[in-house]
Amino acid sequence: MKIDAEGHKFKEGTIQEGRVRWKSPSNIALVKYWGKYGEQLPKNPSISFTLDKAHTITQIDYRPKLDDGKLDINFFFEGKPNEAFGQKIEQFLVRQINLIPWVTQLQMTIKSENSFPHSSGIASSASGMSALVMCLLDIESKHKGVEISLAKASYISRLASGSASRSLFPDLAIWGSHNAIKGSSNLYAIPYGEEVNPMFKTFHDDILIISGKEKSVSSTAGHALMNGNIYAENRYMQANQNLMDIIRSMKEGDLEKFGAIVESEALTLHALMMCSTPSYMLMEPHTISVINEIRQYRKESKHPIYFTLDAGPNIHLLYPDNIAEQVSPFIKEVLQPYCVGGKMIYDKVGKGPQKLTHE
Ligand code: DP6
């Protein structure tokens, strides 16, 4: 047993004190994960764009403590102690203690901040949990002198939040097994960016913040309602087919087909919410107005600009980089006024988590 200068007791050979800091992005599903079973396993495979600007930065300061089998964590969200989030993280770590048993050796101060309003339908759990997991695996890899395995990071992130499993990879990620996709698994996501037309590496995702309010029904509760939904089995079949079709469209660079699937996926997701028991709705009147504006503009201009939705009212506007200049006046003049406080995030497809070494 060793005692440090401040009187803390810890075992020899334990992890020494240090700091890790990671930035990890959100992602936007093109074919949606909606419905799960067992321990965070998806009922159907999903595919997403990894984002860039919508991200979480997490820092962990850690030092050894007596390993009494208990966690010792202080959690700060955007500069303030946040008990609700802290508890969510603690519950996750306790549940997965066999994967990261060394966490009880450490006193950890976790500080996290988002680049976007939390619980607004932008997948804050995806960026938040993947950033946390990258920090934890960084501590482990420093101690053991090994590289971080992204497959392991994806596996652990999945256990915290399903969509978080897809935030670890550049460009595009697939989570969930499909017979026709080699290496696909329900346990972790795999990278898919290399397989498609390069235009999808620079795709835009402008996020229109229709409301910054907390969601009335969480995604976790929404997934659970799929168990009693009479359309569930057909939906899972449709998602498998849509995955095949969207991959083909992305390989062929067929934007019309790509857009049709993406929009159908978004509306199907919200339709499933509306026909759950109890029924609920996360779209706001401005969500519908923006969808109508986009469809009208597309019809008139012939520009390949499409929308998708997360489990919330906000719109993700998807379009290729080569039309960015032409569509910009429409976005700024017609769509932006629908956003709360004019708030938008001009995002693009991104490269995945990034280690930050300095403040
Ligand atoms: C609509 O990953 O937030 O964004 O696994 O319960 O944490 P949990 O749910 P979550 O669900 C995301 C659902 C979605 C679609 C998607 O990202 O695929």
Side-chain angles (χ1 to χ4, degrees), residues 29 33-34 36 40 125 161-163 166 219-220 223 269 310-311:
Y33 146 57
W34 199 240
K36 57 177 159 179
Q40 287 280 103
S125 63
S161 177
S163 55
R166 296 185 313 240
S219 289
T220 306
H223 287 289
L269 169 71
D310 237 323

Side-chain angles (χ1 to χ4, degrees), residues 29 31-37 41-46 162-163 166 175 215 217-227 229 231-233 235-239 265-276 280 282 309-312:
V31 172
K32 311 288 182 184
Y33 146 57
W34 199 240
K36 57 177 159 179
Y37 69 98
L41 300 168
K43 285 277 201 173
N44 65 260
S46 55
S163 55
R166 296 185 313 240
W175 170 43
K215 284 184 270 188
V217 179
S218 72
S219 289
T220 306
H223 287 289
L225 290 175
M226 280 298 277
N227 292 329
N229 191 311
Y231 301 107
E233 289 311 316
R235 158 60 194 159
Y236 304 140
M237 274 178 0
Q238 178 202 37
E265 278 286 322
L267 295 179
T268 301
L269 169 71
H270 284 260
L272 288 164
M273 294 173 189
M274 288 188 240
C275 63
S276 293
Y280 68 106
L282 296 182
L309 303 162
D310 237 323

Side-chain angles (χ1 to χ4, degrees), residues 279-291:
S279 153
Y280 68 106
M281 209 187 292
L282 296 182
M283 287 193 282
E284 300 275 346
H286 278 183
T287 312
I288 315 266
S289 304
V290 169
I291 289 174

Side-chain angles (χ1 to χ4, degrees), residues 45-61:
S46 55
I47 185 166
S48 56
F49 277 142
T50 301
L51 297 180
D52 181 38
K53 292 242 169 58
H55 62 251
T56 300
I57 292 177
T58 296
Q59 172 175 307
I60 304 184
D61 287 292

